[in-house]
């Protein structure tokens, strides 16, 4: 059961309680379902009881008890607990929660602007031309197997401290992914087309086939039909923030209209201006420098955004995406593909699953608060969780690929999909090689 399905399940429980006369409230349009916070239990939690307590004229815990009875009778729900003032903590049966989440992400995609994984379209002000991420070539091609006939260990990607990452002590004075294409002719066995990992039932359709109706992961109708005016001053950071909000608000069913105003007129967005022109950083690093800080924080326009170091959040996000794609390529060489499944044996998967489950809420909050920095910070959390998890994906030594490896590969592919979609919403490219 995915978070979207669980949200519908919670609303159905409210509707049944209303139909049975147990509650006298209007059924809300949506129920927020997120991984439980500190002190919570189970797979997901919702505050729907607190939301309905006042209109129902009852204590929140009493409303929670009513809804708990209806939720526990739902297929796929193992148990429901009540914590704090009335939070409903939902336990799902078996490994269905993680597998369903991964399947939903892979089927819907991450919502990148182009609708295709591996291709990033950047439109609007200062967003640059369309970028084919398959042409962003790794600065170190060892992970692609420079010896095409080498051993499995030579073909396999290793940890970030191995041959896939540039020297952490080397300063880079160009934008990541913009001028790092040091090899215009990839190795003969390297496929120049975007590498994606799909399950058998989610293989991409030919370009001539109609688009799938399933919405991209994280998209929701929270702003359906609403027109959001964005009056901004003539200032580069305000314009970049507004440009990103156009795409982010669209993921929630709304439509943003940008209008420039003159000094002294009312504005809807006025982030702290950049202290200097960010253009020398290049389009990707410049946009990240302007979008990553909160609107009330002054952005840092420094070369730190160009460094291939762990201290650079932009590098970590783009590198994590490249690692997800590399894992898929190496799995193909080892003869197995991604199949969502049980991940209970890998504790390192828990932070990544939690971060992926919270992605829809991060999009909703970024749109509601006109704050693309919330999306940027969440992408960093997803990237850090993926980089900590990646070492468990591929078989080691003489180990044979198993169902566990297929499930881990599917989770890594889902994380790469979310990172690609999130970066695209910010107008930043997601290279397959870095």
């Amino acid at each position: 059961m995915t978070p979207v399905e669980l949200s519908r399940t919670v609303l159905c429980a409210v509707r049944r309680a209303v139909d049975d006369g147990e509650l006298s409230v209007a059924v809300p349009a949506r129920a927020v379902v997120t991984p439980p916070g500190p002190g919570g239990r189970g797979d997901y939690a919702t505050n729907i009881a607190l939301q309905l307590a006042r209109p129902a004229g009852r204590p929140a815990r009493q409303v929670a008890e009513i809804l708990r009875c209806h939720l526990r009778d739902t297929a796929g729900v193992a148990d429901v607990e009540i914590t704090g003032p009335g939070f409903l903590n939902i336990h799902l049966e078996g490994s269905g929660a993680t597998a369903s989440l991964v399947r939903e992400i892979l089927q819907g995609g991450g919502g990148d602007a182009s609708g295709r994984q591996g291709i990033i379209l950047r439109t609007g002000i200062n967003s640059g031309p369309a970028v084919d991420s398959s042409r962003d070539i790794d600065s170190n091609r060892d992970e692609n197997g420079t010896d095409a006939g080498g051993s499995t260990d030579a073909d396999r990607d290793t940890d970030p401290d191995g041959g896939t990452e540039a020297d952490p002590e080397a300063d880079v004075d160009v934008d990541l992914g913009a001028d790092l294409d040091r090899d215009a002719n990839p190795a003969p066995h390297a496929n120049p087309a975007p590498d994606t990992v799909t399950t058998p039932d989610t293989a991409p359709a030919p370009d001539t086939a109609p688009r799938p109706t399933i919405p991209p992961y994280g998209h929701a109708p929270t702003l359906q039909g609403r027109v959001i005016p964005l009056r901004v001053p003539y200032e580069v950071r305000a314009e970049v923030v507004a440009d990103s909000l156009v795409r982010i608000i669209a993921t929630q069913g709304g439509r943003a209209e940008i209008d420039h105003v003159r000094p002294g007129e009312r504005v809807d967005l006025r982030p702290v201006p950049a202290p200097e022109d960010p253009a020398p950083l290049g389009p990707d690093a410049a946009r990240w420098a302007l979008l990553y800080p909160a609107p009330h924080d002054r952005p840092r326009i420094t070369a730190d955004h160009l460094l291939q170091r762990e201290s650079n959040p932009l590098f970590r996000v783009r590198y994590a995406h490249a690692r997800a794609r590399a894992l898929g390529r190496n799995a193909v060489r080892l003869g197995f593909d991604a199949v969502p499944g049980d991940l209970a044996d890998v504790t390192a998967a828990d932070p990544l699953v939690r971060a992926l489950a919270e992605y829809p809420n991060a999009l909703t909050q970024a749109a509601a608060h006109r704050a693309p920095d919330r999306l940027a910070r969440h992408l960093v959390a997803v990237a850090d969780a993926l980089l900590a998890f990646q070492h468990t994906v591929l078989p080691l030594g003489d180990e044979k690929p198993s169902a566990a490896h297929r499930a881990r590969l599917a989770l890594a592919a889902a994380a790469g999909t979310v990172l690609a979609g999130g970066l695209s919403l910010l107008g930043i490219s997601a290279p397959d090689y870095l």
Side-chain angles (χ1 to χ4, degrees):
M1 185 179 296
T2 67
V4 173
E5 293 170 339
L6 188 56
S7 176
R8 297 193 191 104
T9 299
V10 172
L11 292 179
C12 288
V14 175
R15 190 170 292 108
R16 287 197 300 270
V18 172
D19 293 341
D20 293 346
E22 298 173 291
L23 292 176
S24 179
V25 295
V27 179
R30 62 187 295 262
V32 177
V33 175
T34 62
R41 304 184 184 93
D43 297 296
Y44 294 100
T46 178
N47 65 347
I48 190 69
L50 283 76
Q51 180 181 340
L52 298 177
R54 183 183 293 274
R58 299 189 181 196
R61 287 191 68 92
Q62 191 177 107
V63 175
E65 288 287 355
I66 294 172
L67 297 178
R68 178 188 183 189
C69 297
H70 292 281
L71 285 171
R72 293 177 71 175
D73 295 336
T74 303
V77 175
D79 193 17
V80 180
E81 295 183 76
I82 301 174
T83 59
F87 292 102
L88 289 164
N89 292 256
I90 304 170
H91 299 257
L92 301 181
E93 292 179 347
S95 61
T98 299
S100 296
L101 173 66
V102 171
R103 190 173 295 108
E104 180 184 4
I105 295 173
L106 294 178
Q107 288 178 343
D112 56 302
S114 68
R116 295 178 58 191
Q117 296 181 16
I119 302 294
I120 305 301
L121 295 182
R122 299 181 296 165
T123 59
I125 52 176
N126 297 329
S127 59
V131 175
D132 184 339
S133 61
S134 67
R135 298 184 64 84
D136 289 323
I137 307 301
D138 196 341
S139 59
N140 187 325
R141 299 305 300 276
D142 287 348
E143 61 101 16
N144 271 327
T146 53
D147 179 7
S151 65
T152 299
D153 289 340
D155 284 341
R156 185 179 309 157
D157 285 315
T158 55
D159 57 74
D161 296 327
T164 61
E165 184 176 0
D167 182 0
E169 299 302 321
D171 292 345
V172 180
D173 58 358
V174 293
D175 184 20
L176 294 179
D179 294 311
L180 288 179
D181 192 353
R182 301 181 183 177
D183 184 1
N185 298 307
H189 63 280
N191 184 359
D195 290 306
T196 60
V197 178
T198 56
T199 59
D201 59 339
T202 59
D207 291 340
T208 57
R211 293 285 185 179
T213 57
I214 182 171
Y217 180 65
H219 289 216
T222 58
L223 298 175
Q224 189 66 43
R226 291 185 56 184
V227 177
I228 311 297
L230 297 176
R231 290 177 287 270
V232 300
Y234 287 94
E235 192 275 324
V236 62
R237 189 185 183 195
E239 293 178 346
V240 169
V241 169
D243 174 62
S244 296
L245 284 175
V246 169
R247 290 185 289 273
I248 293 173
I249 290 172
T251 68
Q252 305 301 299
R255 180 167 60 89
E257 292 185 348
I258 301 177
D259 184 25
H260 289 83
V261 299
R262 300 186 180 281
E265 297 180 342
R266 186 173 67 88
V267 298
D268 299 305
L269 290 174
R270 194 189 291 276
V272 176
E276 56 187 290
D277 183 12
L281 296 178
D284 288 335
R287 291 180 69 87
W288 182 268
L290 299 175
L291 295 172
Y292 182 68
H296 56 269
D297 292 334
R298 185 174 296 278
R300 295 183 303 105
I301 310 300
T302 68
D304 291 345
H305 297 293
L306 303 174
L307 301 180
Q308 293 196 53
R309 290 182 177 177
E310 188 178 354
S311 59
N312 180 4
L314 173 60
F315 170 71
R316 296 207 306 274
V317 172
R318 287 158 54 96
Y319 178 66
H321 172 266
R323 289 295 303 141
R325 297 295 183 246
L327 290 171
R329 293 191 295 271
N330 291 330
V332 171
R333 297 189 187 107
L334 294 175
F336 73 99
D337 56 4
V339 179
D342 186 11
L343 290 164
D345 61 327
V346 185
T347 57
D350 294 342
L352 181 55
V353 172
R354 183 183 298 271
L356 294 179
E358 290 175 345
Y359 177 72
N361 187 56
L363 271 185
T364 300
Q365 295 300 316
H369 296 279
R370 318 293 188 261
D373 60 288
R374 298 192 179 207
L375 172 59
R377 288 196 297 271
H378 190 76
L379 294 180
V380 174
V382 173
D384 290 343
L386 174 58
L387 293 175
F389 168 76
Q390 62 164 330
H391 307 289
T392 69
V393 174
L394 298 179
L396 300 176
D398 295 332
E399 187 179 8
K400 299 297 183 182
S402 64
H405 293 109
R406 292 181 175 87
R408 297 170 198 169
L409 179 62
L411 179 61
T417 299
V418 166
L419 291 173
L423 285 172
S424 178
L425 292 174
L426 297 177
I428 298 173
S429 66
D432 284 357
Y433 299 90
L434 190 62

